[in-house]
Structure formats: structure tokens, C-alpha cells
């Protein structure tokens, strides 16, 4: 019996053992089976299968290994396993868009995948071996793949200087400055300009309380695309209103307008016009019209825009260096305007407005034009009766000026701004999603949606936000987002630190008498000098090699058009002979190109045969008239050559024909392969092109007449 | 007794399910898919997505080519109507789709004269790199109307 029982027991035991062994074996098999079914192995097998359908199978499989591929760059702390699945990433034959992902090759870029890895640009989790973990936000990894639309942000993490290949990033950086973001926020590599908003120390002597009230409520007198004057109107061309709209209550509007209207530290004395001018002009009905002609002739529109309605469409025409002036006559008081036109810097030391030479007559006419024609009688019609500012309103306004952040952009003598008013954004681009507070909003939980939600409606993520509303068109919003995403703070590793391409701040500090004239007319507002200055007008770094002295002097005194398609033209400063000579002499002496050496110039004399050959080359062989105008015919891509003989130096023409980009990097004239004889002949021909004073003036006038028509037709496709 | 085993089995099962469940993704966060885009010249309401290479081509087009190969430019009306023969619009598929990539590359690189066309088209071989010229061609192809269909290469399936 015991033996029987023993046998029974052992049978049961054996059965148990057998069962557990099987279970155990199955359990052991789970792991290898699971491993062989891994996602990346599937992709590996699919790649082998895919290559069978290609003509170059053998080459495509030359480097193939059935294991995890990894790009390891310890210097940059890159461990990227992306190439495990993206097997064809550097196979030129797989570049075609018909190649299925993940096998398609990367489009050719300046950085190779092998040397840089993937995550430096694309972000995401490089060491992950599953698609979702590598690409998207997981609990363990908060940095998802950057959508390719915003990928230029990654260029900006190392390239702090602007890159021509990354236009979206450049535009975004430019907008961050133009929109005055730097007024309240710390931004990576953004230098705080000397003036963000105008100094308001003396604002009470310039505008009325009612106007301040209106401006604070609806800061934009610009028009939207339908021609309506709106608070959120935003012209996506170059005319950006710089003052954003704040959310102010009625009492806050009253308080701020009361406080600001009492600020008149320095009284403005009214200018005494020559009594003969007043006698001749006052009461004349066409004084304003004459003023308008002067306003146009002096090319105020190069810096200031006016709203123009044609064919039912209203647009701003003119530049954005200075404020838009459509309704300025209803804004400023007359004494202030005259004082301002005579000497802008005495009211606002950091103003970029040139100090023009005015005759009393012109000053009177232009003032009259601005005060009577650039007006809107309805501008202040919806402002309530404000009355005299009360003491408690002034007190509250002064406090609001700091609390609302006005002081972050505007200076008032004796009022200290709140330090670090807005959050520091210099490391925003690498913020983890968990570090962002979305509040109650329904915004998708990612950094891009957060940035865009915050800009378009600050209250959506933070009901106590002090940030004003910015309604940017989608393209600009994306550009700003790209620029903000590029701000990832100081690089994490030494390797990356070494790779930083810093943003440089060029300086140009002339001296002596030239400096005085240069400062007076603010040449650098539009022109660039050795990298410093504006980009509206031609770079003058090498102007001394380019232009003949006599031409420079007469051009400065009466700027005429060289490039007829340009909307923006050099203003007429009415400078004196002496000032023009000072400028021309300095330019000729100092602003020389190393690529143009007059000592090395071709000294062969120009013969009539050269001229004839040059004319033939110009007209027949190279057909330069497709872009340049001589006489009244030709193209208007390049400059008008009618006055070349008086304008350019022969050394410059020769050097230019040899290699235009050596003289002006980025100029669009393609470099050709002219022979030295052809260069000699073309130079000879171009130097014979001379215009007499009268025709030059006529050409300039006819261009002026055409200018507003052209400006209207300047809808760009971008 | 049975209910306790059942409860335990359920608990283990539930833990198993929770442990093995992949993190569910709250939908794809990719807001916009294309690297860049360009409005269809013939129908500005439509947008054509551009990849990296085509976008580089677009950039070069708007620097170098737009002045004569479009009807309006960032600086005003174009020079196109001023020229005889009038240059092809960059998106004119009926004129350009028939030409091979190599042909377009040669026109840009060596100019019109080299291929017995108007000398008004200057050579860009010294200003643009090979890659840049290819980028411009890629941009031309993607904005072409009627749309460009690449020729079927022998051997490619």
C-alpha cells in the first residue's frame, strides 16, 4: 500500500514537475520571442526586403548589419540609434520622394548625418529603439521630435549669427526685436536697444490727454487688410505697429492718460517764422498742397508710411523706420511739431530722425500740410470727456505705469522700471512640457502649442498674465515660434560650446567733422558701413572706390534715382555744399575696397574702337540691356547706367566686371567670364555714358511720378 | 474560496494589463508637416508644400530669378514684360515640363546663349553652386502648373 501510494505520489509529482517545466520553458521563451519581434528588427527585415526591389541592392546592403546601428559622438554627447530604422539615410539613390519611410535618404544639407547625428537638429530621444519613444513625448523623455516646419530653430541653437539658409529663423529673430519682446523678456543673444519705445518724460507737451487715452485703448492707427482702422490691425508687410494692445479698464485708461498728460518737464517754445514768409503764405489756400509736394520731394516716405486708398483698397505706403503718419495732424500740437522738425534730438536724444536743413518757407508749408491734411476729425470722437487730471488719477497712473510694464519699454526721468518684468525666455526652447503651466486651457500639451497659445492669447494659459495681445498672421507666428524654440540657453556640452557661431555686433565709429555730419543726417539709419547700420539703402563700406567725388557731392545735394524700381529713396536733406564735401572727402579717403586698387588698374587708353566694341558686347553678345537701362530702354533689375561716366570710377567698373561678389557680397549680378579685352572695351563704353544736369533732374522727377504707382503694384508673392 | 481565487486572478490580470500597456499617445503633436510652402501661383488659395531642397530653391529663386521669371517681385513689378523674348514663368509647366533636369541645369549654369537661346539669360555657373542649381530646378518642378511628372526611368520600379 505504501508503495502504491508512493507510486501515486511520484506520478503526481512527476506530472507537476512536467507541467512546471513546460511552463518554465514557455516563460523562458517569452523573452527571446519578444526580442525577435521588436519593432526595429521588423524595420531591419523590411529594409532588406525593400532593397531587393532596387537596382542597386548590393550597394545598399554593403553596410547592412542586423543589429542596432548607432551614431556615437561623445564630444557632442550624441547617442543616436535613429539609423537603425532609417537605414537609407545617406544613400543618394534613396533620395526620391517615392521611397517609403523610414528608408528615404536625408536631403543634402551642410552637415552630414555621420558627423552630427540626428537629434542635434531634430531633437527627440536618440537612444530609444521604439518609434514612439524616439519621436514623441513620453513620461521618461520630455523632448519630442521637432516638427520639420520649425526645424530651423535647431540651426539657431548653434548659429547665433543669421544664416541665409534659415530665412524663417532670421525673420523670427527680427520680429522679436521689432515687436519689442526684449523690453520685458530676457532673450538669448538679443541686445537691448538704446530706445525701445519713445522717452515719455515730456509727452504732455506733445499730445493731449484725449489722444493718450485713445492710443492706450487702440494703439494702432494703421489699417487692416480691409481698410478698417482697428486695434488689432497688423500689416504683415514691413510696417509693424510697435506698441501692442494692453487690456486696460476704463479707470486704468483714465489714470494713465491723466498721469502722462501732466508730464511736461520742458516747455516747448513756439518758433518765430520769418514774418515775410508768414505774410507771403498765410491765408493762401494751397499752402498745404505745396507742403505735400515738399513732403514727397524730400522723400519722407522712405521712413514714414501713409495709408493710401486706391480702388477701394487701403494700404500703408512707405517705410517703417519712423512711425506711420496718416493721422499725425490730429495727434501732435503745432509748436511741438515745428520744434521736432527743426531738431528732433532736442526732444528725443536717441531719435533716428535726421536733422534736416529747413528754409522757413518749407518748414511752414510742410507743417501746414501735416496739421491740416494728415488728420482724422473722428479720431478722438469716441473718447469720453476726461476733464482736468485729478490728483488721485495721476497717482494711480504713475503706479500703473510700472505695474503694467510701460516702464519696461518707455523711459520717464525719475521712474525706475520693475526689474525682470517678464519671464526669462533665453532657455525656453529646451523647456520640458512638465515645466510649462497650461492652466485650464485646452491647448495641446506641447511646447509649440504653448508658445503660440501664449502669444495669441496670454490669458488662455495664465489668467493673471500681464502680457499684451499680439495677433500675428500665421506665418509670422510660426517665425517667432521658431526663433523662440532656438533659444535653448548655454550649450550642455563642451563639444557644442566650441561649435557656437556667435552673433557679432559690428561697430563703425568715424571721427572728426565727418562724424558730425554723419550723426546729423543719421546716414547709418539706412546705409551700412563695414557691417554696421541699416540695410534699407546700399552698403557704403566701399563707396569711396565706387563713386567719383564730384558725383557724390552732387548726389548728396540732390539725390536722384539710380534704381528706378526702388520704393524707398534717399531723402533730400538740403545739405550745404560744405557738408556734402565733408562727406564725399571722407568716403573717398576711408571707405575703400581692398578688391579695387586704382594703382593696379588697366592703364591702356580707351580708344573709339574700344568703345564701339564695348557697345557691341553690351548690346549683342551679352545683352546687358535685359537688366540695365541706357537711354529710355532696358530692364530695371540692375542700376540705370545712363550716368555711369560721371558716376563710377574706371577701376571699380573693371573690378566689378571681373567679380561683382568680391566687391559687394550677395549682389545678384552673376559673375561672368569676360576676357581682359572685353572688360577693357565694356569699361570704355560705360564711361562714355554721361548725362547732363537737366536730363538727370528730369529722370528723377519722372521716377517720382511713377513711384506711388509702383508701390501699389508691389504685392509680393511671399 | 472561489471568489477569493477569482479576485486574485482578476487582480493579477489587471496588473498584467496595466504593466504591459504601452503609453497611449495623445494624438500626433506635429502641427505642420511641410518644411516650407509656397502658394500656387495660379491659385493663391492653394499652398504647395516644399521639402528642404525645394525650400532652398525657393530662397535662391527669390534672390536671383524672381526679377525676370515671375510677374511680380518683392520690390514691385517684374522685369519680365520688359524683355523680348519674354522669359518663361518659373511655374509654367507647359513650357518647362518637357525639358529634362539636365537641360534646365545647363540653361542656368551656362546661360541662354550656350544653348542657342536668348543671351538675355545670363550664366549662373559661377555664382551658384551645383547644389544650388539643382535646388532651383527642384523648386521649379514642384511649383509647375500643370504639375510635373518625372519621366519613368528604365530599371526603376
Amino acid at each position: 500500500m505504501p508503495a502504491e501510494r508512493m507510486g501515486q505520489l511520484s506520478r503526481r509529482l512527476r506530472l507537476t514537475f512536467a507541467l512546471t517545466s513546460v511552463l518554465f520553458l514557455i516563460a523562458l521563451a517569452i523573452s527571446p520571442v519578444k526580442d525577435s519581434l521588436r519593432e526595429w528588427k521588423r524595420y531591419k527585415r523590411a529594409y532588406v526586403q525593400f532593397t531587393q526591389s532596387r537596382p542597386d541592392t548590393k550597394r545598399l546592403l554593403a553596410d547592412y548589419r542586423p543589429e542596432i546601428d548607432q551614431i556615437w559622438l561623445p564630444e557632442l554627447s550624441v547617442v543616436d540609434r535613429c539609423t537603425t530604422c532609417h537605414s537609407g539615410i545617406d544613400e543618394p539613390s534613396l533620395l526620391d520622394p517615392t521611397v517609403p519611410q523610414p528608408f528615404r535618404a536625408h536631403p543634402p544639407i551642410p552637415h552630414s548625418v555621420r558627423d552630427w547625428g540626428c537629434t542635434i537638429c531634430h531633437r527627440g530621444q536618440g537612444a530609444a529603439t521604439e518609434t514612439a519613444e524616439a519621436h514623441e513625448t513620453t513620461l521618461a523623455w520630455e523632448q519630442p521630435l521637432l516638427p520639420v516646419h520649425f526645424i530651423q530653430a535647431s540651426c539657431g541653437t548653434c548659429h547665433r549669427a543669421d544664416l541665409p539658409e534659415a530665412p524663417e529663423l532670421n525673420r523670427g529673430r527680427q520680429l522679436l526685436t521689432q515687436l519689442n519682446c526684449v523690453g520685458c523678456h530676457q532673450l538669448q543673444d538679443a541686445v537691448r536697444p538704446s530706445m525701445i519705445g519713445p522717452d515719455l518724460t515730456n509727452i504732455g507737451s506733445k499730445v493731449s490727454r484725449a489722444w493718450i487715452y485713445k492710443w492706450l485703448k487702440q494703439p494702432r492707427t494703421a489699417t487692416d487688410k480691409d481698410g478698417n482702422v482697428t486695434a488689432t490691425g497688423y500689416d504683415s508687410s514691413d510696417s509693424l505697429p510697435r506698441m501692442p494692445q494692453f487690456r486696460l479698464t476704463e479707470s486704468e485708461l483714465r489714470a494713465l492718460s491723466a498721469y502722462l498728460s501732466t508730464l511736461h518737464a520742458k516747455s516747448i517754445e513756439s518758433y518765430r517764422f520769418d514774418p515775410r514768409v508768414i505774410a507771403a503764405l498765410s491765408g493762401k489756400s494751397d499752402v498745404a498742397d505745396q507742403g505735400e509736394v515738399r513732403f514727397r520731394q524730400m522723400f519722407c516716405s522712405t521712413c514714414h508710411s501713409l495709408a493710401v486708398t486706391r480702388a477701394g483698397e487701403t494700404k500703408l505706403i512707405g517705410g517703417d523706420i519712423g512711425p506711420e503718419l496718416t493721422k499725425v495732424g490730429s495727434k501732435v500740437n503745432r509748436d511741438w511739431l515745428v520744434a521736432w522738425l527743426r531738431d528732433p534730438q532736442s526732444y528725443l536724444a536717441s531719435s533716428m530722425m535726421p536733422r534736416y536743413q529747413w528754409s522757413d518757407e518749407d518748414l511752414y508749408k510742410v507743417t501746414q500740410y501735416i496739421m491740416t491734411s494728415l488728420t482724422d476729425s473722428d479720431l478722438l470722437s469716441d473718447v469720453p470727456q476726461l476733464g482736468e487730471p485729478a490728483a488721485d488719477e495721476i497717482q494711480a497712473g504713475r503706479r500703473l505705469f510700472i505695474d503694467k510694464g510701460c516702464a519696461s519699454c518707455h523711459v520717464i526721468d525719475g521712474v525706475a522700471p520693475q526689474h525682470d518684468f517678464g519671464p526669462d525666455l533665453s532657455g525656453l526652447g529646451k523647456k520640458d512640457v512638465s515645466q510649462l503651466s497650461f492652466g485650464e486651457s485646452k491647448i495641446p500639451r506641447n511646447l509649440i502649442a504653448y508658445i503660440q497659445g501664449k502669444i495669441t492669447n496670454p490669458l488662455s494659459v495664465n489668467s493673471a498674465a500681464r502680457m499684451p495681445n499680439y495677433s500675428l498672421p500665421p506665418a509670422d507666428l510660426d517665425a517667432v515660434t521658431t526663433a523662440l524654440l532656438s533659444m535653448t540657453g548655454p550649450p550642455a556640452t563642451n563639444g557644442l560650446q566650441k561649435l557656437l557661431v556667435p552673433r557679432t555686433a559690428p561697430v563703425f565709429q568715424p571721427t572728426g567733422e565727418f562724424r558730425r555730419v554723419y550723426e546729423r543726417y543719421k546716414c547709418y539709419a539706412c546705409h551700412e558701413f563695414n557691417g554696421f547700420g541699416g540695410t534699407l539703402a546700399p552698403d557704403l563700406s566701399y563707396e569711396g572706390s565706387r563713386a567719383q567725388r564730384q558725383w557724390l557731392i552732387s548726389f548728396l545735394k540732390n539725390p536722384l534715382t539710380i534704381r528706378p524700381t526702388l520704393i524707398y529713396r534717399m531723402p533730400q536733406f538740403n545739405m550745404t555744399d560744405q557738408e556734402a564735401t565733408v562727406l564725399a572727402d571722407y568716403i573717398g579717403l576711408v571707405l575703400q575696397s581692398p578688391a579695387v586698387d586704382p594703382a593696379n588698374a588697366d592703364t591702356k587708353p580707351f580708344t573709339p574702337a574700344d568703345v564701339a566694341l564695348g557697345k557691341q558686347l553690351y548690346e549683342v553678345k551679352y545683352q546687358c540691356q535685359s537688366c540695365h537701362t541706357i537711354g529710355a530702354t532696358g530692364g530695371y533689375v540692375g542700376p540705370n547706367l545712363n550716368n555711369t561716366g560721371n558716376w563710377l570710377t574706371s577701376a571699380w567698373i573693371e573690378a566689378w566686371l571681373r567679380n561683382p561678389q568680391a566687391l559687394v557680397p550677395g549682389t545678384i549680378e552673376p559673375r561672368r567670364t569676360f576676357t581682359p579685352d572685353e572688360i577693357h572695351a565694356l569699361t570704355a563704353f560705360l564711361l562714355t555714358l554721361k548725362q547732363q544736369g537737366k536730363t538727370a533732374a528730369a529722370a528723377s522727377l519722372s521716377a517720382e511720378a511713377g513711384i506711388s504707382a509702383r508701390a501699389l503694384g508691389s504685392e509680393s508673392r511671399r | 474560496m472561489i471568489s477569493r481565487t477569482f479576485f486574485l486572478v482578476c487582480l493579477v490580470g489587471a496588473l498584467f494589463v496595466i504593466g504591459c500597456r504601452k503609453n497611449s499617445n495623445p494624438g500626433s503633436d506635429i502641427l505642420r508637416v511641410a518644411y516650407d510652402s509656397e502658394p500656387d501661383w495660379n491659385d493663391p488659395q492653394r499652398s504647395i508644400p516644399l521639402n528642404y531642397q525645394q525650400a532652398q530653391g525657393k530662397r535662391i529663386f527669390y534672390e536671383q530669378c524672381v526679377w525676370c521669371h515671375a510677374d511680380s517681385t518683392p520690390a514691385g513689378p517684374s522685369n519680365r514684360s520688359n524683355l523680348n523674348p519674354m522669359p518663361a514663368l518659373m511655374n509654367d509647366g507647359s513650357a518647362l515640363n518637357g525639358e529634362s533636369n539636365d537641360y534646365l541645369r545647363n540653361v542656368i549654369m551656362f546661360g541662354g546663349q550656350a544653348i542657342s537661346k536668348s543671351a538675355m539669360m545670363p550664366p549662373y555657373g559661377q555664382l551658384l553652386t551645383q547644389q544650388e542649381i539643382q535646388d532651383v530646378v527642384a523648386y521649379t518642378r514642384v511649383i509647375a502648373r500643370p504639375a510635373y511628372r518625372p519621366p519613368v526611368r528604365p530599371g526603376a520600379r
Side-chain angles (χ1 to χ4, degrees):
Chain A
M1 189 66 183
E4 210 174 287
R5 272 193 66 185
M6 283 288 280
Q8 225 171 35
L9 192 69
S10 74
R11 216 171 45 237
R12 272 176 67 183
L13 259 178
R14 272 206 296 271
L15 202 71
T16 320
F17 277 135
L19 264 174
T20 31
S21 308
V22 168
L23 277 175
F24 190 64
L25 273 175
I26 292 174
L28 271 182
I30 288 177
S31 174
V33 168
K34 216 176 132 191
D35 186 59
S36 76
L37 292 176
R38 273 172 182 255
E39 200 183 7
W40 63 268
K41 288 195 171 168
R42 276 210 320 273
Y43 282 118
K44 281 269 170 192
R45 286 192 291 268
Y47 180 67
V48 174
Q49 210 168 27
F50 164 73
T51 53
Q52 304 306 318
S53 70
R54 307 291 297 185
D56 52 350
T57 312
K58 233 175 159 178
R59 226 183 46 74
L60 291 178
L61 288 178
D63 294 337
Y64 176 82
R65 294 175 318 136
E67 299 151 23
I68 288 184
D69 289 320
Q70 175 170 293
I71 297 171
W72 181 42
L73 306 167
E75 271 276 273
L76 310 177
S77 63
V78 161
V79 184
D80 284 354
R81 296 173 172 169
C82 317
T83 46
T84 306
C85 301
H86 293 277
S87 311
I89 203 79
D90 50 4
E91 297 289 353
S93 66
L94 300 184
L95 198 56
D96 201 76
T98 54
V99 174
Q101 285 293 28
F103 307 137
R104 202 179 304 156
H106 198 282
I109 49 163
H111 301 309
S112 85
V113 177
R114 298 284 155 204
D115 295 340
W116 294 89
C118 311
T119 49
I120 282 193
C121 299
H122 287 278
R123 306 192 187 173
Q125 187 177 189
T129 52
E130 274 178 49
T131 317
E133 284 191 353
H135 291 190
E136 286 157 33
T137 305
T138 65
L139 288 177
W141 191 263
E142 297 250 31
Q143 298 274 320
L145 217 58
L146 199 57
V148 74
H149 187 70
F150 300 98
I151 199 87
Q152 289 174 20
S154 297
C155 309
T157 57
C158 299
H159 294 272
R160 304 287 169 85
D162 283 357
L163 268 182
E165 287 87 354
E168 174 120 347
L169 172 68
N170 301 344
R171 169 85 180 146
R173 284 172 168 167
Q174 187 195 351
L175 281 168
L176 286 178
T177 314
Q178 276 183 6
L179 296 171
N180 289 341
C181 306
V182 73
C184 297
H185 297 283
Q186 284 276 356
L187 299 173
Q188 179 176 289
D189 272 296
V191 186
R192 205 184 150 89
S194 57
M195 180 181 90
I196 296 181
D199 183 323
L200 300 181
T201 308
N202 218 4
I203 187 71
S205 61
K206 176 181 177 183
V207 296
S208 67
R209 183 180 177 191
W211 186 87
I212 297 173
Y213 177 98
K214 173 78 180 183
W215 176 253
L216 290 169
K217 197 171 177 186
Q218 280 192 315
R220 291 152 201 196
T221 52
T223 48
D224 68 7
K225 61 183 185 337
D226 301 319
N228 305 316
V229 177
T230 60
T232 50
Y234 173 95
D235 186 350
S236 65
S237 65
D238 289 331
S239 306
L240 294 175
R242 287 164 168 82
M243 167 100 173
Q245 191 190 16
F246 288 83
R247 298 173 297 273
L248 299 171
T249 64
E250 180 65 24
S251 62
E252 287 170 340
L253 287 168
R254 280 175 181 270
L256 273 168
S257 62
Y259 168 57
L260 293 173
S261 67
T262 56
L263 298 172
H264 25 67
K266 208 162 61 170
S267 65
I268 305 271
E269 275 178 43
S270 66
Y271 176 66
R272 267 170 227 242
F273 283 96
D274 185 336
R276 279 168 300 174
V277 171
I278 296 181
L281 293 176
S282 68
K284 289 268 174 63
S285 57
D286 64 339
V287 175
D289 294 341
Q290 289 181 35
E292 180 174 4
V293 172
R294 284 308 290 152
F295 186 88
R296 287 175 191 280
Q297 282 172 346
M298 291 171 76
F299 265 93
C300 306
S301 60
T302 296
C303 298
H304 298 283
S305 61
L306 297 177
V308 176
T309 308
R310 295 240 175 97
E313 200 190 352
T314 303
K315 346 181 20 169
L316 288 178
I317 291 183
D320 69 340
I321 294 177
E324 173 262 334
L325 296 181
T326 316
K327 297 170 178 184
V328 73
S330 304
K331 169 185 176 184
V332 300
N333 79 53
R334 183 182 288 261
D335 285 343
W336 179 89
L337 178 63
V338 175
W340 170 264
L341 290 174
R342 292 183 64 232
D343 183 3
Q345 283 72 32
S346 75
Y347 176 79
L348 200 58
S350 48
S351 166
M352 289 291 265
M353 168 120 166
R355 190 154 55 85
Y356 285 76
Q357 295 272 11
W358 290 97
S359 65
D360 270 19
E361 204 182 322
D362 281 349
L363 187 60
Y364 188 88
K365 287 177 186 167
V366 171
T367 308
Q368 192 65 18
Y369 164 63
I370 292 174
M371 294 308 294
T372 58
S373 300
L374 301 182
T375 54
D376 175 4
S377 51
D378 291 337
L379 183 66
L380 303 178
S381 59
D382 57 351
V383 176
Q385 276 303 319
L386 296 168
E388 282 301 304
D392 58 328
E393 284 178 330
I394 296 171
Q395 200 57 36
R398 191 185 159 94
R399 208 179 47 248
L400 282 169
F401 185 78
I402 296 164
D403 289 350
K404 290 282 171 189
C406 314
S408 298
C409 293
H410 295 280
V411 173
I412 290 178
D413 267 356
V415 178
Q418 195 180 324
H419 195 60
D420 286 338
F421 188 80
D424 184 343
L425 300 184
S426 53
L428 181 68
K430 67 165 182 207
K431 274 250 165 81
D432 287 344
V433 179
S434 58
Q435 289 173 282
L436 308 170
S437 73
F438 285 91
E440 306 278 285
S441 69
K442 293 203 171 69
I443 294 171
R445 290 331 193 222
N446 70 59
L447 183 56
I448 292 168
Y450 174 81
I451 292 176
Q452 303 206 328
K454 176 91 195 206
I455 293 174
T456 35
N457 183 7
L459 293 181
S460 67
V461 290
N462 174 8
S463 57
R466 295 180 293 189
M467 177 157 151
N469 291 4
Y470 288 91
S471 43
L472 308 182
D476 282 347
L477 183 60
D478 287 352
V480 169
T481 309
T482 304
L484 287 172
L485 286 169
S486 80
M487 299 186 179
T488 50
T493 61
N494 264 340
L496 275 175
Q497 221 144 37
K498 273 185 233 144
L499 293 169
L500 275 198
V501 184
R503 180 172 278 270
T504 48
V507 282
F508 176 68
Q509 282 183 324
T511 48
E513 190 62 4
F514 174 76
R515 183 193 173 85
R516 196 189 60 77
V517 185
Y518 163 91
E519 278 293 345
R520 165 162 195 175
Y521 296 113
K522 306 284 174 201
C523 309
Y524 54 90
C526 299
H527 292 282
E528 207 170 295
F529 298 84
N530 298 336
F532 172 81
T535 50
L536 186 67
D539 185 333
L540 297 185
S541 309
Y542 301 143
E543 188 64 15
S545 302
R546 173 165 37 206
Q548 299 174 19
R549 179 172 178 273
Q550 206 46 51
W551 179 88
L552 266 178
I553 294 175
S554 55
F555 183 85
L556 287 166
K557 294 202 62 200
N558 184 21
L560 47 94
T561 179
I562 300 176
R563 289 169 186 272
T565 48
L566 294 184
I567 301 164
Y568 304 118
R569 300 248 318 266
M570 174 131 152
Q572 203 173 31
F573 297 110
N574 309 324
M575 53 175 88
T576 62
D577 287 344
Q578 193 256 343
E579 284 173 330
T581 314
V582 165
L583 290 180
D585 283 344
Y586 183 92
I587 289 171
L589 205 66
V590 180
L591 302 176
Q592 292 276 351
S593 163
V596 183
D597 184 1
N600 239 343
D602 183 0
T603 48
K604 259 194 302 176
F606 298 120
T607 64
D610 292 334
V611 174
L613 175 62
K615 187 172 163 64
Q616 204 255 342
L617 290 171
Y618 181 96
E619 285 172 356
V620 183
K621 182 163 181 194
Y622 295 115
Q623 305 208 359
C624 313
Q625 69 272 23
S626 57
C627 293
H628 296 281
T629 296
I630 295 180
T633 57
Y636 30 84
V637 178
N640 180 326
L641 299 177
N642 274 321
N643 204 21
T644 315
N646 289 326
W647 169 33
L648 298 175
T649 64
S650 63
W652 176 271
I653 299 176
E654 281 164 9
W656 182 271
L657 292 172
R658 272 198 300 277
N659 184 0
Q661 281 72 33
L663 301 184
V664 179
T667 185
I668 63 168
E669 174 153 342
R671 186 180 169 191
R672 317 284 287 249
T673 40
F674 299 121
T675 65
D677 285 343
E678 286 178 334
I679 291 180
H680 183 74
L682 280 166
T683 310
F685 168 61
L686 291 173
L687 286 174
T688 60
L689 304 172
K690 294 189 180 184
Q691 219 169 19
Q692 298 312 312
K694 222 177 188 177
T695 39
S700 148
L701 274 180
S702 68
E704 258 165 42
I707 200 130
S708 33
R710 287 219 178 82
L712 266 183
S714 74
E715 276 266 79
S716 73
R717 280 215 184 87
R718 287 171 73 105
Chain B
M1 180 71 186
I2 290 172
S3 74
R4 221 162 82 190
T5 324
F6 181 72
F7 176 75
L8 267 173
V9 167
C10 283
L11 187 74
V12 169
L15 281 174
F16 189 76
V17 169
I18 292 169
C20 291
R21 198 187 55 169
K22 286 234 172 107
N23 281 320
S24 61
N25 292 306
S28 172
D29 282 341
I30 297 175
L31 292 177
R32 288 168 191 86
V33 185
Y35 180 84
D36 196 0
S37 64
E38 170 79 351
D40 186 334
W41 293 9
N42 298 356
D43 176 12
Q45 300 304 311
R46 280 193 55 228
S47 243
I48 302 167
L50 306 181
N51 68 20
Y52 176 81
Q53 188 187 16
Q54 293 152 350
Q56 295 305 316
K58 169 180 165 177
R59 176 176 62 81
I60 295 156
F61 171 81
Y62 276 104
E63 280 165 18
Q64 310 289 341
C65 323
V66 67
W67 316 107
C68 298
H69 288 285
D71 276 332
S72 68
T73 73
S78 93
N79 192 34
R80 180 168 173 263
S81 56
N82 205 19
L83 300 178
N84 186 23
M86 209 190 265
L89 283 175
M90 212 63 166
N91 78 332
D92 185 353
S94 55
L96 300 176
N97 285 353
E99 310 291 357
S100 70
N101 285 355
D102 281 343
Y103 176 86
L104 295 183
R105 213 155 52 220
N106 282 338
V107 181
I108 299 173
M109 205 150 79
F110 301 114
Q113 210 168 28
I115 48 139
S116 318
K117 289 224 169 174
S118 167
M120 286 194 165
M121 169 75 191
Y124 283 88
Q126 296 205 61
L127 181 63
L128 302 177
T129 63
Q130 280 294 322
Q131 183 61 54
E132 287 173 329
I133 293 175
Q134 282 176 23
D135 295 347
V136 174
V137 173
Y139 170 73
T140 311
R141 295 308 196 192
V142 73
I143 62 166
R145 290 292 172 270
Y148 172 72
R149 303 252 168 274
V152 183
R153 275 171 297 165
R157 265 188 262 164

